[in-house]
């Protein structure tokens, strides 16, 4: 159960309404509210959940979201919990914002920061596979899917295998919607 506070947070859920993990946002909001999350709202239908909580308990909040999805819906996934300031910082450090198309420029939020050798391996393995531009940020991977996400060979499983951790991506357009909803 999450403690309520006045801080608006977002949980970015991995693999929701993709790859067969179908879930209505009404059902998700109801389940999270039953588990004690406060002031729950969703932004779009792809697993962006706003709630009030203590930013110092982000790991506990993330565990609570993962437990809810597993126990209530049979979906094994994870959550990245961020404050508005953390989300804004991730967008601000993305070197492709303003240079690429907002729907093609993504922030791929990671469960852990990969070491430089893992990032170098990713770049090496991706060489010649596409035109994407990739940059490692503070807590995320920044990607410009120049030719489109659907055509890219730079997929979640490809990234996870090389980086040694899972991640969940949002494009700049979606992140701006989430920030606007966070107030």
């Amino acid at each position: 159960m999450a403690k309520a506070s006045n801080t608006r947070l977002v949980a970015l859920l991995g693999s929701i309404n993709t790859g067969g993990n179908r879930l209505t946002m009404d059902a998700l909001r109801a389940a999270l509210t039953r588990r004690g999350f406060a002031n729950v709202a969703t932004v779009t239908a792809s697993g962006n959940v706003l709630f009030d909580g203590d930013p110092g308990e982000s790991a506990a909040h993330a565990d609570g979201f993962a437990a809810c999805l597993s126990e209530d819906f049979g979906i094994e996934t994870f959550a990245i919990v961020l404050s508005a300031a953390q989300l804004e910082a991730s967008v601000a450090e993305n070197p492709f914002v303003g240079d690429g198309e907002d729907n093609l420029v993504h922030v791929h939020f990671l469960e852990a920061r990969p070491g430089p050798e893992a990032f170098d391996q990713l770049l090496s393995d991706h060489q010649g596979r596409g035109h994407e531009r990739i940059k490692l940020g503070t807590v995320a991977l920044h990607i410009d899917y120049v030719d489109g996400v659907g055509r890219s060979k730079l997929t979640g499983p490809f990234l996870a295998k090389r980086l040694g951790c899972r991640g969940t991506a949002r494009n700049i357009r979606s992140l701006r919607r989430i920030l606007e909803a966070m107030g």
Side-chain angles (χ1 to χ4, degrees):
M1 174 152 47
K3 293 180 184 176
S5 80
N6 291 331
T7 303
R8 199 71 169 144
L9 301 172
V10 62
L12 304 173
L13 308 178
S15 303
I16 296 299
N17 290 337
T18 63
N21 288 331
R22 298 289 174 216
L23 177 63
T24 69
M25 294 302 100
D26 287 341
L28 178 59
R29 286 190 300 271
L32 292 168
T33 300
R34 280 193 307 276
R35 286 177 174 260
F37 285 92
N39 198 17
V40 176
T42 54
V43 180
T44 72
S46 56
N48 307 306
V49 182
L50 307 181
F51 67 103
D52 294 341
D54 181 350
E57 295 185 16
S58 290
H61 295 317
D63 290 345
F65 275 87
C68 177
L69 287 157
S70 176
E71 295 164 12
D72 294 10
F73 303 103
I75 296 173
E76 299 302 324
T77 193
F78 63 99
I80 305 291
V81 175
L82 303 165
S83 68
Q86 291 169 313
L87 195 62
E88 286 172 348
S90 293
V91 172
E93 81 170 359
N94 188 316
F96 311 120
V97 171
D99 186 35
E101 299 293 325
D102 282 356
N103 63 322
L104 299 178
V105 173
H106 286 66
V107 178
H108 194 84
F109 296 92
L110 303 169
E111 283 186 296
R113 182 175 168 81
E117 64 286 341
F119 183 67
D120 289 345
Q121 185 66 52
L122 168 66
L123 293 178
S124 175
D125 289 355
H126 183 260
Q127 188 77 24
R129 293 177 57 95
H131 298 106
E132 297 87 358
R133 298 184 295 168
I134 310 166
K135 175 83 171 146
L136 183 61
T138 305
V139 295
L141 192 64
H142 303 292
I143 304 171
D144 182 1
Y145 287 97
V146 177
D147 297 324
V149 178
R151 295 185 194 135
S152 178
K153 294 178 181 167
L154 193 59
T155 63
F158 182 89
L159 293 168
K161 181 176 180 182
R162 275 103 185 140
L163 299 177
C165 65
R166 296 180 294 182
T168 185
R170 303 295 186 277
N171 68 35
I172 297 303
R173 184 178 297 153
S174 294
L175 292 172
R176 288 188 174 132
R177 274 188 289 203
I178 293 166
L179 283 165
E180 183 179 315
M182 290 178 86

